[in-house]
Amino acid sequence: MTISMRAPLQRALVVGGGVAGPTVAMFLRRLGVQVAVLEARSEAAGDAGAFLGLAPNGLQVLAELGLGAEVRARGAACAGLRFLNARGRCIGEIDHRDHAQRFGAQMVMIRRAELHRTLMAAATERGADCRFDARVVALAERPGEVVARLESGEALAADVLLGCDGVRSRVRALALPSSPAPAFTGLCDIGGFARCPGAPLEPGWTVMTFGRRAFFGAFAAPGGEVWWFHNNGARETMQVVDPEQRRASILALHAGDPPWIADVVRATPTLLGPWALHDIMTLPRWHAGRVCLLGDAAHATSPSAGQGASLALEDALVLARCLRDAADPPAAFARFEQERRVRVEAVVRQARKNGDGKAPAGPLAAWFRDRMLPLFLRLGAAAQARFYEHRVEWSPPAE
Ligand SMILES: Cc1cc2nc3c(=O)[nH]c(=O)nc-3n(C[C@H](O)[C@H](O)[C@H](O)COP(=O)(O)OP(=O)(O)OC[C@H]3O[C@@H](n4cnc5c(N)ncnc54)[C@H](O)[C@@H]3O)c2cc1C
């Protein structure tokens, strides 16, 4: 079917109110587009998503929207990462303290719920119609428009529909049904927030421990909270339903690791997750007709490169710019995919590689890792610098 859409873009539906959704809505509002953001969660969903790190490349998109200072104030700067072996010895470090100078911003750690609230509130202030409890269950294309049907039965129409609904995207399944399923990375994730004054953590630093049987990350937030995550490879973790059994299984996996890890896990009122981590190395097409995917829906990346949210922010700016500049939405979607694919696929590959390195190692492999990690970190820092220094621009380049 040939689609002709010469008229200027007037109405957009954005499915998903996570990271990409409210951000693309804000850029579209700049263009005067009437935007509805449809989010399945209820507004009071709380801390369902633990926390994440926003890298310099993502923070520059928030700065473009005038939200940089607010996000920094709601989160906390990350001074860097320290890596420990299972005996608690520091075997490597990545220092972020010169990143403001090198990359224009220093990584910010932020609770996911806080980031979602900030973005949805800012999009609402800028005139987007942000709705919670609005799960999209079906799509249809009609001449001149695309229609989304909500679980409530309500139908909404627009010129374009942007799928920002994450790794398990319903929009992807409906609009691009032959897309490959996301792949399991081999890692499961559980996290939480604890007060554990005895933990030997320096405020602002993230400590990553290669435990004997599982990996543990802990960020010492200002105010004395520890924000932590635990990764292990066992899918069975996902099947443990009782929270106390789950806690017991994490404690068992960290038996013999630095004892403060168990203290932090015990001091956590509510365990968050578990999440089976999936990624999408390459999706053959990101758009069909009036529908385009962005963020995790198009290129889900495992958390191990700390880039998924930042890529979603970059996508939002680039897609809105393409819609501003291209002759019609299909041309904009094609340009967007062409501009983004190589970069995001490189990040997804790197994140998978980083995640593979978290797998428990036997004594010989652990001995080798402890000695080689500083070299691997130096090599990894070069790749990381390429991710951090990437810039997406809203304004056309000066003539
Ligand atoms: C445990 C964990 C830790 C992570 N840590 C980091 C990190 O430190 N740094 C980093 O950069 N990235 C991290 N990531 C990855 C990051 O979370 C994602 O890359 C990012 O959230 C992608 O943004 P998005 O807007 O594309 O999707 P999401 O943030 O997943 O948002 C999708 C939204 O769509 C909504 N939705 C889903 N289906 C529907 C539907 N049918 N109708 C309406 N709404 C729907 C969902 O409720 C959700 O709010 C982590 C991921 C996980 C799982």
Side-chain angles (χ1 to χ4, degrees):
M1 182 174 64
T2 318
I3 298 169
S4 169
M5 296 187 231
R6 290 281 160 191
L9 184 64
Q10 289 183 334
R11 299 166 303 163
L13 291 173
V14 172
V15 183
V19 181
T23 309
V24 74
M26 284 186 262
F27 282 111
L28 291 176
R29 289 297 304 142
R30 278 191 181 179
L31 306 179
V33 178
Q34 193 188 317
V35 190
V37 180
L38 308 171
E39 168 53 51
R41 270 180 297 112
S42 87
E43 194 164 5
D47 266 334
F51 65 100
L52 49 78
L54 295 171
N57 50 303
L59 289 168
Q60 54 102 18
V61 176
L62 294 172
E64 168 66 41
L65 287 167
L67 292 173
E70 183 174 352
V71 166
R72 273 197 308 280
R74 291 183 185 278
C78 177
L81 314 178
R82 291 203 175 106
F83 295 85
L84 309 186
N85 67 11
R87 290 193 301 281
R89 184 165 69 81
C90 183
I91 52 173
E93 185 175 296
I94 302 175
D95 197 328
H96 288 170
R97 286 173 297 181
D98 61 352
H99 283 192
Q101 198 190 345
R102 287 175 65 202
F103 306 118
Q106 191 174 328
M107 179 172 283
V108 168
M109 308 299 279
I110 187 165
R111 286 177 179 243
R112 185 183 291 269
E114 198 68 49
L115 178 64
H116 285 174
R117 266 196 294 275
T118 305
L119 294 177
M120 286 293 260
T124 304
E125 264 169 33
R126 293 162 203 216
D129 174 15
C130 294
R131 305 191 189 181
F132 291 91
D133 301 301
R135 181 179 297 280
V136 169
V137 293
L139 303 181
E141 283 218 18
R142 291 198 302 234
E145 61 185 14
V146 55
V147 180
R149 193 161 56 74
L150 304 185
E151 206 168 34
S152 62
E154 189 183 355
L156 298 158
D159 305 328
V160 293
L161 182 142
L162 307 180
C164 307
D165 50 344
V167 58
R168 289 182 187 77
S169 171
R170 186 72 172 260
V171 172
R172 186 178 64 232
L174 293 166
L176 294 152
S178 57
S179 300
F184 180 50
T185 61
L187 290 176
C188 299
D189 189 295
I190 295 176
F193 303 110
R195 291 213 165 263
C196 189
L201 297 168
E202 189 179 337
W205 283 81
T206 298
V207 171
M208 307 281 204
T209 303
F210 293 96
R212 283 177 176 74
R213 292 170 217 83
F215 190 85
F216 195 85
F219 172 67
E225 252 185 351
V226 180
W227 300 359
W228 63 269
F229 67 90
H230 150 101
N231 289 153
N232 73 298
R235 259 195 204 249
E236 300 85 78
T237 314
M238 305 296 299
Q239 277 136 29
V240 180
V241 178
D242 176 64
E244 287 315 311
Q245 269 182 23
R246 189 170 286 149
R247 193 190 305 271
S249 93
I250 299 174
L251 290 170
L253 286 165
H254 288 290
D257 292 344
W260 60 266
I261 292 180
D263 296 340
V264 168
V265 174
R266 281 197 204 93
T268 304
T270 310
L271 298 183
L272 304 172
W275 297 277
L277 301 176
H278 288 73
D279 62 16
I280 301 175
M281 287 282 165
T282 186
L283 192 71
R285 288 202 59 176
W286 294 7
H287 58 97
R290 294 173 180 275
V291 176
C292 186
L293 306 175
L294 62 156
D296 271 13
H299 49 73
T301 171
S302 97
S304 303
Q307 278 288 325
S310 294
L311 291 183
L313 292 166
E314 288 181 13
D315 275 2
L317 181 150
V318 175
L319 180 53
R321 170 168 39 76
C322 290
L323 283 163
R324 179 192 70 188
D325 296 342
D328 55 34
F333 297 160
R335 187 185 292 180
F336 165 68
E337 181 181 328
Q338 191 198 6
E339 197 174 314
R340 298 293 293 156
R341 184 181 279 283
V342 171
R343 169 168 170 76
V344 300
E345 291 185 355
V347 177
V348 177
R349 279 195 303 276
Q350 182 67 42
R352 176 64 87 93
K353 217 158 106 184
N354 295 354
D356 290 346
K358 292 174 171 176
L364 187 63
W367 182 90
F368 181 74
R369 181 200 58 216
D370 288 4
R371 271 141 200 87
M372 295 308 288
L373 192 74
L375 173 66
F376 292 152
L377 292 180
R378 269 201 302 281
L379 295 174
Q384 206 71 358
R386 280 195 298 280
F387 299 157
Y388 290 170
E389 68 200 7
H390 189 82
R391 289 292 169 270
V392 292
E393 304 288 346
W394 178 250
S395 311
E399 293 291 310

